[in-house]
Amino acid sequence: MADIEIEIDGNLVSAKAGEMLIAVTDREGISVPRFCYHKKLSVAANCRMCLVDVEGAPKPQPACSTPINEGMKVHTNNEKVKASQKAVMEFLLINHPLDCPICDQGGECELQDVAMDYGSDVSRFSEGKRVVVDGDIGPLIQTDMTRCIHCTRCVRFGAEIGGIMEMGGTGRGEDLKIEPFLAEGIQSELSGNMIDVCPVGALTSKPFRYELRTWQMNSVSNIARHDLTGSNIVTQTYKGRVKRIVAKDNDSVNETWISDRDRFSYEGLAHENRLLSPQIKVKGEWREVSWDEALEFAMRGLTDKVLNTGEANKLGALASNTATLEEFHLLQKLLREVGSENIDYRLNIKDLENTVTLESNIKLAGLEGVDHVLIIGSNPRLEQPMINHRLRKASLSGASIDVINVMAFDFNYQLNSENIVTPNQIAFMLAEVLKLILQASNAEIPEALSKIEASDTAKQLADRLLDADNSVIILGEHMVNNPQASSIAQLINEIAQQTNSTTLNISATANSMAGDLTEFVPGKKGLDANAMLATGLKAYILLDVYPHFDFHHPAQAIKALSKKDAFVISMNSFKDEAVAQYSDVMLPIASFYETSGSHINIEGKVQSFCASVSAPSDVKPAWKVLKVLADLLQLPGFHFANSMQVTSEISNQGHKQNVSNKKLDIKVKRSVNVIWQKSPYAVDALSRHASALQATKIGQMHSASMNKATAKKLEVAENDNYLGVPVSIRESVANNCVFVNTNKPIRGEL
Amino acid sequence: MISNQAKKQIDVWVAKYPIGRQSSAVMEALKIVQAENENRLSADIIQAVADYLDMPSIAAQEVATFYENYNHKSVGKHTIRICHNISCMLNGADDLVKYLEKKLGVKTGKVTKNGLVNVKKVECLGACVGAPMFQIGEQYYENLTKQKIDEIVDNLK
Amino acid sequence: MNEVCFKNLDKKKCYSLKVYEQSGGYSIWRKILKGELTPEEIIDELKASGLRGRGGAGFPTGLKWSFMPRNASMQKYVVCNSDEGEPGTCKDRDILRYNPHAVIEGMAIGGFVMNASVGYNYIRGEFMEPFKRFEGALKEVYKAGLLGKNIGASGVSFDLHTHLGAGAYICGEETALLESIEGKKGQPRFKPPFPANVGLFGQPTTINNTESFASVPEILSQGGQWFADIGVENSGGCKLFSVTGHVQKPSNFEVPMGIPFKDLLEMAGGIKKGRKLKAVIPGGSSTPVLTAEVAMEMTMDYDGIEKAGSMLGAGSVIVMDDSTCMVATLTRLAHFYYDESCGQCTPCREGTGWLYRVLKRIMDGDGKADDIDLLLGVSDKIMGNTICALGDAAAMPVESFLRNFRPEFEYYIKHGKSMVKG
Ligand SMILES: Cc1cc2nc3c(=O)[nH]c(=O)nc-3n(C[C@H](O)[C@H](O)[C@H](O)COP(=O)(O)O)c2cc1C
Ligand code: SF4
Ligand code: SF4
Ligand code: FES
Ligand code: FES
């Protein structure tokens, strides 16, 4: 729209026609008080606080809902404005408790800030204040609705950003009450953002409640490492402990929002299950020892077992995907330095030769602008909440979204089609789509596809991709162990090339991009995770591995690691029975927010962070532990004084995942497939130890879903145990498929 | 939760609105199920209506608590909705409220012991030329006098 | 008298299609279906008639209809406001009961003019008798093949539905009404955008009052000038006045605009025996109250009433005799707005309760000397600072009652009892 000029407080300002006045004043740094306006939410214009004087209008106008026009003259600070704003303040305060000193929002309350400007004499109200009874709305958010000023930011957040209306305004007039449907409470995966948008102390963090005032805490920026977004956050700390986490604006990453996982996982830091001191196993007994002793013991173990015997190739390193970029780098460097390439972070994949390698070549913000999306094998809402948020935005601005999944999930946007397909048939379906696309451009049809007769579904999927100008194909976690995984990735890659689509590979999560970039994968002579365990090595260094949750086949892995002659060094931040069983040394390492390092997000953005707090006294950052271990082993090139020096050593050339060139397999098989998906709040040790998160409905997800036919085949009934998980029979699951979504260790055989 | 009969009635309303706008029918749907449920709503019923119309439960709850025609507490078989707004007030509505309370032996807002009647003071019902007036069920009764009230109320079954 | 909306009032079964057609009903609609009338001609005729919106705001109807982007390709809507809830107002109920076809024809004509193929009539939930009448009338017209898609192969389509309210005065406010049709609570929208651009279901929409729509067919039959001539300058035609309160024969009267108030009072049988006129609210509870002296000099048209210091509003004339306690009356009105505020915007949500509580306190005998200033201060802070006009409607009576009858309030505060009732 055209630029026009308006006058604000006597100064000429240029702006776009049709913009709301408040957008202009905000850009110009002119302060206009507001409660209901929020730049990322729709305009409600209900608080009436942002009143400004527009020349020619008899009464002050709300800046948030007054579109500007050429020649407009505005005063934001004259007597008329002040009187109106004061009047609104007076109305807001008549029913608001004036006990800021005991309110949880005290010191960061927008109402308190504005009230200060008007002095304390605003109220002549003496008719008795409204008291609102609070209901329990769930484990994450505490309400104190007597403080609510009915700005409806939280309501709009749910309807517009969360994609599910959770808060609403019930009753009317003075009885208007902001609350969720109490029988349901607040359940969504982004709900904590309502705490951030609430301008007063009506919605606060339940785990944090009443602990401290804001001004007593230190605020340190940090990066959340639970998913592929790397959301920017502020950790608020007090006396060396993280007390609360809030979102930090970064439009190209997480905008203003963070997931509940990012917000509430910090609770795990203070869990009693932390590993707090170095221990060594002597004659089968664990002994707490000093760091010097423990590292000496570790060094000896390595030299005796493999290095001095010239069997460096019998040493392996395995890491969880939450490791920092620097930790990945140092551990792989250590291994390669001593002559081993047995390195891997991909612990949950059954066949590393047959899995979904595919590059991602679209930016997070770019996702908003696509006109078509094809999702394959993902429940992005729970698995990658911020990526899902971008997809929702795309959908709202008109993008069509097709899904090929093994079961129906609860999407918070409209789907063009939701195709529930048996895992064994997904490769075939993609092959159909590819064939149609090749036919459309009169390209040669490869032999492998020649016999295919495409279905109507495939035709619709293909047409969409062909019609779209800017489409993205998304490959999700549920496909990593598909029997035809590599074919699926190949087909997607080919379809993307043919249709000029971008691809987004969200099949691995957390900081796995950093694992790739640092080549924390086997070198040519090295063994991959499965091969290491199958062969049985003589020594292992494990970085924050929790076998029951991290390995594709926990029992097998534990058995392999427990072999008598294997020397296992485990670095963990939490205690774990199985780790204690197979390890010879346990080294306590710093968890999230206790260490400096870097996260690499899906678009390859390297985001470094400092420690927000120091780790408990005898707990050390893993990068330091690795550096000292390397020093003890007298390896060259580990003279790092801090993690930044490590970071700068890593060349960031961007990492490309090459698509496998194995022979295409699209044959439809009939066996039952089990897809094991950790429930959203069980993805890493920190989240698993965050009690409020665990208490939520999402945290409690624990079921093996299958349809009736599959249940019959497997001879199980509703609520029976299958692989240690209760069976849930639903017809929304594809045939011959069991979708296990669990927050507990997997114990059975796969 | 919602009878088939009620669903049929709801569907008539749904058909009036554009496709995908079925939640426009929520106001009538709530009335229809309320009528089947001793003239009151409960959380379960509201949720059932929300599910039937594929809308968030809290949105249905908003509607159910915003409009005056829904009941969330027990009411009598008949609710006498007596207007006490200006034109009716000028014509003696307040006296009639007192008269009704005395006659029935209950205060406004309470239900008679036999569960038959309750009295509710309401705002203008748009029949001011017939003031004072009240509504029972769908029916308006205008130009009320004590005698007329006796006739009407005594005939309630 | 009774020339337009109440034309057939004295006929038997005046609400039937037969009676309506016998008196020339649907002749305009049939002309339209035959292609004998253009939207421009209709708008010109309406403009000439001087018809102003009968819902309260008095916006010229012809002008309003011309604002619709009739050539835009998207779905458009016409909506009739039969929510009638303003205390003292009860004219639309009678139009729906006795002349539903005029509303239907008026809406259909509106649909044609604004190129809107769908209409909704929002009828307040308590109006079950009028609702059934209207539904009955709709059945008749559909059966007669006068509504539907591509009616009689004319190329004109118009479908008309009813939507019932569920008890909320605020749904009479046009944007709250749209929200309500969308199945939401009736919270007014802020403007701009106006409904003509973003209305029902986000589409261009025009909303008119029942009486406005019902007047259209007769205006077009008889000609705009004919209608204009019935009334006076700036207030074309005749209008329904609901005369209620302390009169001998309360009733709805369809009379020419500009009629002197005292004549209207006389038509309603005058003040009750042995009593004297004390005050008049001329346009429904939201309009300022006038003293007897001022009222007796006033003519019943937009300018006449404005000159007297009030507003024509919906034409709801509430008459009070000298037995009326103005403190009690204002308290009742304050309670109404407090009860009916939708609650979304701060000044109205908090202020209406404040006003009511202060008045209630005065009524309870606990008034304080500065309460009158407090009431005036609070109502002034509500005025003009809210999303919709309910805020103003709550504030205006307070201001006018206190201005015109201040001694009564002072007496009540001082003595803890009414000056009138003792
Ligand atoms: C609080 C409030 C209540 C209203 N109630 C009604 C009503 O019951 N009926 C009505 O026709 N207009 C009512 N209006 C006016 C409408 O908003 C709108 O102006 C009118 O329906 C337009 O129709 P008209 O131009 O034909 O008058 C009300 C306005 C306000 C602010
Ligand atoms: S709870 Fe907070 S965000 Fe929600 S309406 Fe109240 S004040 Fe606004
Ligand atoms: S003025 Fe009152 S009724 Fe109107 S929008 Fe505001 S709160 Fe609602
Ligand atoms: S910020 Fe403008 S009205 Fe609330
Ligand atoms: S005032 Fe009682 S019906 Fe209008």
Side-chain angles (χ1 to χ4, degrees):
Chain A
M1 259 184 258
D3 271 6
I4 58 171
E5 283 208 322
I6 64 170
E7 194 186 299
I8 305 177
D9 298 333
N11 302 316
L12 279 183
V13 169
S14 72
K16 299 226 180 325
E19 259 187 305
M20 293 300 171
L21 204 40
I22 205 164
V24 184
T25 53
D26 277 359
R27 196 167 51 235
E28 297 294 322
I30 302 163
S31 98
V32 172
R34 86 284 309 273
F35 297 119
C36 67
Y37 176 77
H38 186 284
K39 63 179 193 282
K40 296 274 178 187
L41 301 175
S42 68
V43 173
N46 59 30
C47 76
R48 315 310 280 179
M49 191 63 217
C50 63
L51 296 170
V52 295
D53 185 14
V54 178
E55 280 186 22
K59 278 276 186 173
Q61 302 293 307
C64 69
S65 50
T66 303
I68 57 162
N69 45 50
E70 183 73 56
M72 201 173 202
K73 288 199 173 112
V74 182
H75 304 276
T76 66
N77 212 4
N78 62 17
E79 285 311 308
K80 194 168 156 190
V81 169
K82 279 199 205 129
S84 296
Q85 290 178 349
K86 187 170 172 180
V88 175
M89 242 1 244
E90 186 171 8
F91 284 130
L92 279 172
L93 291 178
I94 62 176
N95 276 311
H96 191 90
L98 296 175
D99 54 358
C100 306
I102 64 153
C103 169
D104 242 16
Q105 195 88 350
E108 53 181 348
C109 170
E110 297 174 37
L111 186 68
Q112 189 185 28
D113 292 348
V114 183
M116 302 272 219
D117 294 343
Y118 291 96
S120 52
D121 66 325
V122 283
S123 190
R124 291 175 293 161
F125 183 79
S126 56
E127 318 297 325
K129 283 184 190 281
R130 173 170 63 224
V131 175
V132 184
V133 185
D134 288 283
D136 184 357
I137 69 167
L140 302 181
I141 303 177
Q142 179 65 44
T143 63
D144 185 353
M145 283 305 175
T146 303
R147 300 181 192 280
C148 171
I149 56 169
H150 309 94
C151 70
T152 70
R153 280 188 191 173
C154 59
V155 179
R156 283 173 283 145
F157 172 83
E160 295 164 17
I161 308 294
I164 155 173
M165 186 178 176
E166 290 195 290
M167 282 292 201
T170 62
R172 74 178 183 213
E174 216 183 50
D175 297 328
L176 172 63
K177 187 176 173 194
I178 305 295
E179 59 181 351
F181 194 72
L182 277 177
E184 290 168 357
I186 297 291
Q187 306 183 354
S188 75
E189 69 288 355
L190 299 179
S191 69
N193 292 298
M194 291 193 257
I195 298 168
D196 285 355
V197 298
C198 181
V200 294
L203 303 178
T204 52
S205 159
K206 207 175 224 174
F208 170 72
R209 188 122 223 251
Y210 288 137
E211 286 206 52
L212 291 159
R213 325 259 75 199
T214 335
W215 62 80
Q216 294 174 285
M217 298 190 287
N218 279 325
S219 287
V220 191
S221 297
N222 214 308
I223 302 294
R225 281 186 271 155
H226 300 287
D227 59 29
L228 291 167
T229 303
S231 287
N232 291 198
I233 56 176
V234 175
T235 52
Q236 298 180 325
T237 69
Y238 180 70
K239 292 201 174 153
R241 282 192 159 197
V242 177
K243 289 293 180 186
R244 190 167 60 176
I245 283 177
V246 296
K248 186 180 166 192
D249 281 15
N250 187 338
D251 256 354
S252 68
V253 181
N254 52 305
E255 298 179 70
T256 318
W257 319 115
I258 57 176
S259 66
D260 286 356
R261 187 165 54 197
D262 291 347
R263 187 182 301 271
F264 293 106
S265 65
Y266 75 87
E267 262 199 300
L269 292 177
H271 197 281
E272 55 178 22
N273 205 30
R274 283 296 296 270
L275 182 63
L276 292 173
S277 55
Q279 300 175 30
I280 60 175
K281 203 189 260 166
V282 182
K283 295 205 183 95
E285 292 288 317
W286 280 110
R287 247 175 51 196
E288 287 190 14
V289 294
S290 71
W291 269 98
D292 285 350
E293 212 176 318
L295 286 168
E296 180 73 22
F297 186 83
M299 185 270 282
R300 285 256 160 274
L302 290 182
T303 37
D304 291 354
K305 276 277 175 188
V306 287
L307 303 185
N308 282 354
T309 58
E311 291 181 293
N313 64 344
K314 293 272 157 147
L315 170 64
L318 298 171
S320 81
N321 59 9
T322 48
T324 66
L325 176 72
E326 293 74 7
E327 291 161 4
F328 276 130
H329 176 67
L330 289 180
L331 183 50
Q332 66 81 28
K333 182 169 174 177
L334 188 152
L335 264 271
R336 289 192 158 102
E337 221 37 79
V338 300
S340 168
E341 295 208 288
N342 305 329
I343 304 166
D344 216 341
Y345 74 91
R346 303 161 304 165
L347 312 183
N348 66 331
I349 294 169
K350 189 174 179 176
D351 178 359
L352 285 155
E353 295 296 311
N354 173 23
T355 189
V356 286
T357 45
L358 182 73
E359 69 167 328
S360 295
N361 50 21
I362 179 166
K363 301 244 182 250
L364 284 169
L367 286 172
E368 278 177 34
V370 300
D371 61 358
H372 180 63
V373 183
L374 173 59
I375 297 172
I376 299 150
S378 178
N379 181 8
R381 187 167 164 198
L382 295 185
E383 288 153 16
Q384 301 291 340
M386 297 319 299
I387 289 176
N388 189 63
H389 167 63
R390 301 280 186 173
L391 295 176
R392 183 174 140 76
K393 281 172 100 176
S395 164
L396 290 178
S397 40
S400 58
I401 300 185
D402 286 332
V403 169
I404 302 177
N405 261 343
V406 299
M407 77 177 274
F409 298 109
D410 195 8
F411 282 84
N412 58 357
Y413 35 82
Q414 193 119 35
L415 298 180
N416 179 55
S417 72
E418 185 174 26
N419 305 286
I420 304 306
V421 182
T422 298
N424 276 330
Q425 293 181 1
I426 290 178
F428 183 79
M429 177 171 267
L430 292 169
E432 292 176 89
V433 173
L434 177 60
K435 182 169 181 182
L436 290 163
I437 285 167
L438 291 170
Q439 278 172 343
S441 59
N442 293 322
E444 197 183 319
I445 308 295
E447 171 65 24
L449 307 180
S450 59
K451 290 206 195 71
I452 293 176
E453 269 196 52
S455 62
D456 282 351
T457 312
K459 181 145 181 14
Q460 278 155 20
L461 292 169
D463 284 349
R464 284 277 166 181
L465 287 163
L466 286 164
D467 287 349
D469 295 324
N470 184 5
S471 49
V472 58
I473 310 181
I474 300 179
L475 172 58
E477 281 185 69
H478 311 166
M479 293 296 106
V480 292
N481 285 320
N482 189 289
Q484 293 159 324
S486 72
S487 299
I488 289 174
Q490 280 179 60
L491 286 161
I492 291 175
N493 189 51
E494 194 56 31
I495 293 171
Q497 307 240 317
Q498 293 294 333
T499 56
N500 258 331
S501 302
T502 46
T503 51
L504 189 76
N505 183 354
I506 53 172
S507 65
T509 188
N511 206 9
S512 48
M513 297 291 285
D516 284 342
L517 181 79
T518 54
E519 299 206 33
F520 203 94
V521 284
K524 284 208 182 69
K525 293 172 293 173
L527 302 173
D528 69 27
N530 294 331
M532 288 185 229
L533 296 172
T535 327
L537 301 182
K538 290 199 161 160
Y540 299 89
I541 305 176
L542 305 185
L543 180 54
D544 223 22
V545 171
Y546 301 87
H548 280 301
F549 289 93
D550 293 342
F551 284 113
H552 153 67
H553 198 320
Q556 252 172 28
I558 292 168
K559 205 166 146 205
L561 290 165
S562 303
K563 277 207 182 123
K564 240 186 155 169
D565 62 337
F567 182 74
V568 180
I569 303 171
S570 279
M571 303 165 68
N572 286 81
S573 26
F574 289 88
K575 289 183 204 153
D576 185 287
E577 246 177 71
V579 171
Q581 181 198 314
Y582 60 60
S583 303
D584 296 278
V585 199
M586 292 193 294
L587 303 172
I589 56 163
S591 183
F592 285 43
Y593 317 129
E594 295 170 348
T595 183
S596 57
S598 310
H599 174 268
I600 301 189
N601 78 359
I602 183 78
E603 60 179 51
K605 195 185 191 85
V606 181
Q607 302 189 100
S608 296
F609 45 84
C610 298
S612 297
V613 290
S614 45
S617 61
D618 239 1
V619 173
K620 306 256 183 260
W623 73 266
K624 256 190 203 163
V625 177
L626 290 166
K627 174 220 143 45
V628 175
L629 188 60
D631 287 349
L632 284 175
L633 292 168
Q634 295 177 331
L635 301 175
F638 283 84
H639 299 295
F640 303 106
N642 55 45
S643 72
M644 261 108 72
Q645 292 176 356
V646 184
T647 326
S648 56
E649 183 180 89
I650 305 164
S651 63
N652 183 9
Q653 290 152 341
H655 176 84
K656 280 215 170 138
Q657 269 197 0
N658 291 322
V659 178
S660 137
N661 51 11
K662 273 180 57 169
K663 192 166 166 281
L664 213 52
D665 171 14
I666 56 170
K667 211 174 140 222
V668 175
K669 302 177 187 79
R670 300 251 165 257
S671 56
V672 172
N673 268 285
V674 181
I675 293 173
W676 170 30
Q677 182 69 25
K678 275 183 266 188
S679 70
Y681 300 159
V683 289
D684 52 59
L686 187 68
S687 307
R688 287 194 293 269
H689 288 91
S691 51
L693 271 184
Q694 291 308 314
T696 61
K697 206 154 176 186
I698 296 177
Q700 300 279 310
M701 284 176 126
H702 180 55
S703 64
S705 305
M706 63 189 84
N707 69 10
K708 264 197 214 115
T710 312
K712 201 166 162 210
K713 208 165 180 178
L714 297 174
E715 297 177 353
V716 291
E718 183 83 18
N719 288 331
D720 280 2
N721 265 354
Y722 181 69
L723 304 178
V725 183
V727 169
S728 158
I729 296 182
R730 307 188 212 180
E731 289 318 292
S732 59
V733 189
N735 213 9
N736 277 335
C737 174
V738 181
F739 190 83
V740 184
N741 208 200
T742 176
N743 59 358
K744 304 227 162 48
I746 275 258
R747 299 212 187 266
E749 296 292 307
L750 287 183
Chain B
M1 194 108 253
I2 307 176
S3 72
N4 285 337
Q5 164 82 11
K7 283 183 182 164
K8 259 195 213 134
Q9 285 174 273
I10 296 171
D11 292 344
V12 171
W13 286 88
V14 169
K16 297 183 176 198
Y17 310 100
I19 293 183
R21 295 288 187 166
Q22 70 285 349
S23 59
S24 278
V26 67
M27 290 163 67
E28 282 317 296
L30 287 169
K31 284 187 206 165
I32 291 163
V33 294
Q34 172 170 277
E36 281 194 339
N37 193 54
E38 296 176 338
N39 283 317
R40 61 175 288 197
L41 295 173
S42 64
D44 290 351
I45 294 179
I46 294 169
Q47 197 162 14
V49 168
D51 289 348
Y52 188 67
L53 294 175
D54 195 17
M55 65 193 285
S57 312
I58 185 65
Q61 170 87 347
E62 282 190 342
V63 169
T65 54
F66 185 89
Y67 297 95
E68 185 266 338
N69 292 175
Y70 306 112
N71 304 312
H72 299 270
K73 293 201 186 98
S74 294
V75 290
K77 189 172 167 205
H78 305 283
T79 298
I80 302 179
R81 294 159 46 82
I82 182 160
C83 171
H84 74 314
N85 213 301
I86 185 160
S87 303
C88 291
M89 171 201 183
L90 294 173
N91 285 296
D94 292 352
D95 279 347
L96 295 186
V97 171
K98 283 197 201 107
Y99 181 73
L100 271 171
E101 286 180 336
K102 208 170 135 210
K103 180 179 171 68
L104 296 167
V106 285
K107 288 272 165 213
T108 47
K110 296 269 179 308
V111 187
T112 53
K113 276 210 191 73
N114 60 4
L116 192 63
V117 192
N118 66 300
V119 182
K120 184 173 186 182
K121 287 193 275 187
V122 298
E123 306 294 358
C124 176
L125 288 174
C128 326
V129 293
M133 61 80 63
F134 62 45
Q135 177 186 21
I136 302 174
E138 295 185 355
Q139 184 75 39
Y140 275 22
Y141 299 88
E142 303 177 43
N143 303 310
L144 293 172
T145 57
K146 286 177 187 168
Q147 192 193 349
K148 225 168 156 180
I149 288 180
D150 285 344
E151 277 167 34
I152 298 161
V153 174
D154 292 344
N155 278 319
L156 288 177
K157 281 197 261 297
Chain C
M1 212 171 104
N2 294 355
E3 287 179 89
V4 180
C5 299
F6 275 3
K7 202 167 109 181
N8 296 326
L9 198 59
D10 52 358
K11 295 192 186 124
K12 249 178 127 180
K13 283 208 158 189
C14 56
Y15 47 83
S16 66
L17 178 61
K18 201 163 138 216
V19 173
Y20 184 67
E21 291 210 282
Q22 274 165 2
S23 65
Y26 289 113
S27 58
I28 299 297
W29 184 235
R30 287 184 195 280
K31 263 192 178 171
I32 287 172
L33 295 179
K34 279 191 227 140
E36 292 168 8
L37 266 174
T38 67
E40 293 73 25
E41 286 169 329
I42 294 173
I43 286 181
D44 286 346
E45 217 50 53
L46 285 179
K47 283 184 178 165
S49 76
L51 174 66
R52 291 171 62 169
R54 301 307 196 212
F59 194 84
T61 306
L63 193 59
K64 192 188 244 183
W65 287 18
S66 72
F67 288 157
M68 278 284 272
R70 77 173 312 278
N71 294 321
S73 63
M74 67 267 244
Q75 177 68 52
K76 292 168 280 298
Y77 295 100
V78 281
V79 172
C80 175
N81 188 341
S82 300
D83 193 46
E84 189 154 73
E86 172 94 349
T89 316
C90 52
K91 62 189 179 70
D92 297 339
R93 172 171 177 242
D94 282 359
I95 298 174
L96 294 173
R97 287 198 294 176
Y98 304 129
N99 199 3
H101 285 289
V103 182
I104 296 172
E105 188 177 6
M107 287 184 73
I109 294 168
F112 166 71
V113 170
M114 293 172 275
N115 197 4
S117 59
V118 180
Y120 291 94
N121 186 8
Y122 187 104
I123 301 175
R124 69 175 290 176
E126 293 82 1
F127 278 179
M128 288 310 285
E129 184 197 357
F131 164 74
K132 286 179 175 165
R133 273 285 162 76
F134 191 83
E135 282 281 339
L138 272 181
K139 264 209 192 94
E140 285 181 305
V141 261
Y142 267 104
K143 213 171 136 205
L146 285 168
L147 288 186
K149 296 194 176 57
N150 190 14
I151 307 159
S154 61
V156 178
S157 297
F158 191 70
D159 277 304
L160 182 47
H161 309 285
T162 49
H163 183 101
L164 273 174
Y169 164 64
I170 191 58
C171 288
E173 196 281 340
E174 56 188 23
T175 56
L177 184 146
L178 297 180
E179 290 280 299
S180 189
I181 299 182
E182 292 182 7
K184 302 175 192 153
K185 48 187 180 158
Q187 283 191 339
R189 304 171 179 173
F190 64 88
K191 288 139 258 180
F194 291 93
N197 296 313
V198 183
L200 184 59
F201 305 125
Q203 313 288 44
T205 302
T206 287
I207 304 138
N208 276 112
N209 171 254
T210 319
E211 186 183 352
S212 310
F213 277 121
S215 305
V216 168
E218 196 62 20
I219 291 174
L220 296 178
S221 301
Q222 310 266 2
Q225 197 55 47
W226 166 83
F227 188 75
D229 289 345
I230 296 176
V232 294
E233 169 100 38
N234 246 339
S235 302
C238 44
K239 157 102 193 75
L240 279 166
F241 289 99
S242 313
V243 186
T244 68
H246 292 140
V247 291
Q248 304 270 18
K249 286 186 284 174
S251 188
N252 283 314
F253 302 97
E254 189 172 50
V255 292
M257 287 278 205
I259 181 176
F261 166 74
K262 59 178 185 338
D263 294 1
L264 192 59
L265 183 60
E266 200 152 300
M267 290 168 85
I271 290 288
K272 293 203 169 154
K273 253 198 227 107
R275 288 286 171 192
K276 255 177 49 198
L277 180 68
K278 177 174 182 179
V280 178
I281 300 177
S285 66
S286 308
T287 62
V289 67
L290 302 172
T291 60
E293 302 77 63
V294 175
M296 289 307 274
E297 298 300 315
M298 161 178 77
T299 56
M300 300 304 286
D301 54 285
Y302 289 100
D303 295 350
I305 299 180
E306 201 178 316
K307 217 168 70 201
S310 190
M311 291 185 286
L312 184 135
S316 326
V317 186
I318 304 162
V319 177
M320 290 165 264
D321 69 20
D322 55 358
S323 70
T324 314
C325 171
M326 299 313 267
V327 184
T329 309
L330 179 62
T331 307
R332 187 55 49 87
L333 291 182
H335 178 269
F336 171 70
Y337 294 105
Y338 160 63
D339 209 14
E340 297 290 351
S341 161
C342 85
Q344 72 171 319
C345 59
T346 309
C348 173
R349 176 182 65 244
E350 308 293 345
T352 50
W354 196 351
L355 290 174
Y356 169 65
R357 287 200 175 82
V358 173
L359 283 161
K360 174 86 175 26
R361 187 159 49 67
I362 295 174
M363 291 280 291
D364 290 343
D366 296 323
K368 294 183 226 153
D370 55 3
D371 277 347
I372 293 184
D373 286 343
L374 180 59
L375 289 169
L376 288 171
V378 172
S379 60
D380 181 55
K381 284 173 192 163
I382 300 174
M383 272 292 268
N385 284 342
T386 56
I387 291 182
C388 87
L390 187 136
D392 292 359
M396 270 186 303
V398 174
E399 192 276 332
S400 62
F401 271 71
L402 287 169
R403 179 160 39 80
N404 288 317
F405 302 96
R406 188 171 179 129
E408 253 187 74
F409 287 81
E410 287 168 346
Y411 182 94
Y412 214 129
I413 289 170
K414 198 155 162 211
H415 299 95
K417 60 180 188 187
S418 170
M419 191 160 121
V420 184
K421 307 251 165 177

